Amino acid sequence: MQLIAGNWKMNGSVALAEAIATPLAAAADGLACELLVCPPATVLAWTAQLLHGSKVMVGGQNCHAKASGPHTGDVSAPMLKDAGAAWVILGHSERRADHGESDAVVRAKAAAATAAGLQAIICVGETEAQRLAGQAEAVVAAQLEGSLPDGFAGVVAYEPVWAIGTGRTASEADVAAMHAHVRAVLVRLLGEGGAGMRILYGGSVKASNAASLMAVANVGGALVGGASLDAADFLAIARAAG
Ligand code: PGA
């Protein structure tokens, strides 16, 4: 079963959470995929309450590597769990770029998430310059090697940085090639666990391209940014998944 995950990024209010969660909760039973929404921390508990009893899962967008302590402004994995999250996105390219998150930091956060009972979605992806230089596969392999804790059992999201929020999507052939590459690296790193791991595609996924992207081999779902802020758009993507 594919996983369609919505990353609201730094968007969302109490009112928007309600506008998105209510139709998702009503539609989730009829879907062939799993649905996850990742609101900002300020409305995570509220969103989880709205979705309680539905099949739609809730996740955070980041967590600290420590469980608690003097880290002003940060949120820990046990705090996300306490607020109703079952998942957390880690190592998103915006966090790697805006906050200088290294692979080692992402790895420590993923270990903290697992210890707290959260499923982690670890994001990887090359920049446009790296792709043009022919380094995309090497960059992604290095990110996987550095970011995944030993025995990692969550989900990986391949998100080419140049496709995020730009309206440009990787071609089906590029997605097929990269997802096959990610699969091979996961099998090398994790053995059988890597063979069955879901690999999401992210980067300008929308209703009009979801069906063809979700049909590509080794694509286990989507990580959706902009189109997850509108329930009808997000559900149209979910209906294209299996
Ligand atoms: P986008 O974002 O769908 O707006 O391109 C995807 C992501 O950053 O997860």
Side-chain angles (χ1 to χ4, degrees):
M1 191 179 275
Q2 291 183 316
L3 171 67
I4 304 299
N7 173 11
W8 297 5
K9 308 192 179 184
M10 198 170 71
N11 301 290
S13 57
V14 167
L16 185 73
E18 202 164 327
I20 297 174
T22 307
L24 295 193
D29 276 348
L31 294 172
C33 63
E34 288 191 291
L35 270 194
L36 166 67
V37 291
C38 299
T42 48
V43 293
L44 194 147
W46 169 237
T47 308
Q49 274 184 46
L50 291 168
L51 291 169
H52 187 74
S54 84
K55 278 191 174 170
V56 187
M57 303 175 289
V58 178
Q61 299 175 12
N62 171 49
C63 71
H64 197 277
K66 295 259 166 53
S68 63
H71 303 287
T72 302
D74 276 312
V75 174
S76 73
M79 291 161 74
L80 292 176
K81 176 102 175 156
D82 181 60
W87 292 78
V88 63
I89 299 168
L90 294 173
H92 190 281
S93 61
E94 288 154 11
R95 291 213 56 90
R96 290 179 187 262
D98 293 355
H99 300 274
E101 285 191 10
S102 64
D103 291 337
V105 166
V106 175
R107 182 184 161 101
K109 291 181 173 195
T114 303
L118 295 177
Q119 296 240 64
I121 299 174
I122 296 182
C123 304
V124 296
E126 80 286 355
T127 63
E128 181 153 43
Q130 288 165 335
R131 175 160 283 266
L132 291 174
Q135 297 166 347
E137 295 203 346
V139 165
V140 167
Q143 287 177 328
L144 291 168
E145 283 158 10
S147 305
L148 269 52
D150 294 341
F152 178 65
V155 171
V156 165
Y158 167 61
E159 299 201 299
V161 176
W162 48 270
I164 294 176
T166 59
R168 292 169 58 198
T169 316
S171 69
E172 286 162 46
D174 284 346
V175 173
M178 185 57 89
H179 279 240
H181 172 65
V182 170
R183 174 72 65 212
V185 175
L186 291 177
V187 168
R188 172 162 60 77
L189 294 175
L190 301 166
E192 211 171 300
M197 187 165 286
R198 281 195 284 210
I199 308 167
L200 310 185
Y201 171 78
S204 297
V205 176
K206 41 189 184 258
S208 58
N209 61 23
S212 51
L213 287 166
M214 294 305 103
V216 173
N218 286 306
V219 171
L223 184 52
V224 184
S228 74
L229 294 172
D230 180 283
D233 286 350
F234 192 56
L235 281 171
I237 293 169
R239 289 196 187 94

